[in-house]
Amino acid sequence: MKAEFEEKDFEAPLYNELRFGSHRIATPGQVFEGKFGIDAALEAEHPLFWDLFGYYDIPKGVVLDHLRWGFMWRKLGRKRRLPTFNTNLLIQAKRPTPLRRASSLLKGYGFSSNYWRFEIAEHQQGILEKVSHHLRRKALVIYAAPAFCTLDDLYSHTEAQTVVENSNFVKVERLHNHRQWNYYQAGTSGIAHSEPEFIEDVSLNSMIEQMREFGQESENAPENLRYLHKMTVEACQEIQDHNPIAKYYLRLHGRLMRLDELYEIEETIHYSAFNLFCNVTKLKWLVV
């Protein structure tokens, strides 16, 4: 037996809380969902949600309409505009099945007798993974499901505005080659099947510490800067036809490179080029 409420009943209060005062949200509809894989694209400003994934600052996001979606348009057979505002979160909401009697394997991961599960549709998962890969970490693409199953709980959390803190979230790429997601609490942890795999997102602090340790081992800051410079230019070249910011950066970058040719400032050119990109895109660059 599924939860007492439908997915749409859960989605409305969830999105309202996640936006946290923002008015930016797009819910394209079922036909589009079948090709793109998501229920909604929005600007999420709820600090608790981003804290779950280890973010100190709320990501600015990306304008979906500025990216190339050729693989999707071919499936739809026509073009339609995507949101023209910054989107930092794409969601596929799921209606879970409440279960009892957790297996010994699940109990080994802290599951008690009561937990929830939702099925992962292979076709939908494939689309979502493609979308996530295409966004290149510019926005999160996640599944969201309630860690409750009764209408009374839904109405109580809606009134108290505690739907987000009583929901479970998992990044789509975490469920690659899996068919089910099992969880017994709110947050970002759970067990993915077919082959059981415990999943919990690493906090940003841990990732930064790992990067710092790696940097100490490699001690190759000039090469890292050269790589950042190279990848930034390549990414902008790929999207410049549909992204005025990328085109603007490349124009300024061209002037900078001409200065390099004139004054031979190779020692600092990679730093200057990436710093220029950060200024143009209003990106905060934190050096580990």
Side-chain angles (χ1 to χ4, degrees):
M1 177 180 288
K2 295 278 189 179
E4 291 181 2
F5 46 84
E6 299 291 334
E7 284 180 9
K8 294 297 181 185
D9 297 319
F10 167 63
E11 289 174 34
L14 174 69
Y15 302 159
N16 186 52
E17 281 187 31
L18 284 170
R19 285 186 291 154
F20 208 69
S22 169
H23 299 288
R24 295 172 173 175
I25 183 171
T27 52
Q30 289 186 344
V31 174
F32 187 74
E33 178 191 349
K35 304 299 181 184
F36 202 68
I38 64 166
D39 290 314
L42 60 145
E43 180 186 53
E45 296 191 338
H46 198 299
L48 176 61
F49 170 81
W50 291 110
D51 187 59
L52 286 173
F53 288 95
Y55 286 81
Y56 282 124
D57 298 317
I58 297 172
K60 180 182 178 182
V62 61
V63 179
L64 296 179
D65 200 50
H66 288 173
L67 302 181
R68 293 180 179 179
W69 299 98
F71 72 90
M72 184 182 64
W73 298 143
R74 285 193 293 272
K75 289 185 178 181
L76 283 170
R78 60 185 175 84
K79 287 194 173 185
R80 61 162 287 169
R81 296 205 71 184
L82 289 173
T84 54
F85 50 79
N86 278 340
T87 294
N88 58 15
L89 183 63
L90 282 71
I91 294 183
Q92 171 58 234
K94 287 292 185 180
R95 182 189 183 197
T97 299
L99 298 169
R100 299 179 182 273
R101 299 178 183 176
S103 67
S104 57
L105 187 148
L106 292 178
K107 287 180 179 178
Y109 286 103
F111 280 59
S112 60
S113 56
N114 297 323
Y115 65 103
W116 295 274
R117 169 186 295 165
F118 63 77
E119 303 295 326
I120 301 161
E122 183 178 352
H123 174 68
Q124 186 179 67
Q125 174 67 17
I127 293 172
L128 288 171
E129 285 185 23
K130 209 165 188 178
V131 169
S132 180
H133 176 74
H134 198 65
L135 287 171
R136 298 181 180 180
R137 302 184 183 278
K138 295 174 183 174
L140 276 184
V141 185
I142 64 168
Y143 288 106
F148 53 88
C149 58
T150 68
L151 271 171
D152 285 344
D153 285 339
L154 175 63
Y155 294 150
S156 295
H157 291 314
T158 300
E159 185 175 7
Q161 294 193 322
T162 54
V163 174
V164 169
E165 58 193 272
N166 285 280
S167 296
N168 188 276
F169 306 97
V170 58
K171 295 178 184 176
V172 297
E173 59 264 31
R174 294 285 200 169
L175 300 186
H176 179 66
N177 287 336
H178 291 291
R179 297 179 182 175
Q180 297 174 340
W181 177 246
N182 301 275
Y183 59 98
Y184 68 91
Q185 60 185 357
T188 59
S189 62
I191 301 292
H193 279 282
S194 302
E195 292 297 324
E197 178 185 355
F198 178 72
I199 293 173
E200 183 175 27
D201 270 297
V202 178
S203 70
L204 186 62
N205 284 340
S206 298
M207 288 189 283
I208 289 176
E209 182 62 24
Q210 291 170 4
M211 291 170 63
R212 186 185 67 81
E213 293 174 357
F214 175 78
Q216 289 176 343
E217 293 174 4
S218 62
E219 295 183 350
N220 196 355
E223 185 59 34
N224 290 340
L225 280 172
R226 188 177 294 106
Y227 177 78
L228 277 174
H229 179 194
K230 176 176 179 291
M231 296 309 295
T232 299
V233 171
E234 288 182 2
C236 288
Q237 287 172 340
E238 182 180 335
I239 64 172
Q240 64 177 316
D241 291 341
H242 304 281
N243 191 317
I245 294 177
K247 184 180 293 186
Y248 177 61
Y249 169 71
L250 290 174
R251 186 162 67 247
L252 296 181
H253 178 267
R255 296 175 185 172
L256 181 63
M257 297 309 291
R258 285 193 290 275
L259 287 176
D260 178 42
E261 293 174 359
L262 288 173
Y263 300 105
E264 297 182 353
I265 53 176
E266 185 177 356
E267 296 82 2
T268 60
I269 193 64
H270 302 300
Y271 169 83
S272 300
F274 188 69
N275 195 48
L276 174 65
F277 173 76
C278 293
N279 290 332
V280 168
T281 59
K282 294 182 172 57
L283 183 70
K284 186 182 292 185
W285 182 17
L286 301 178
V287 181
V288 179

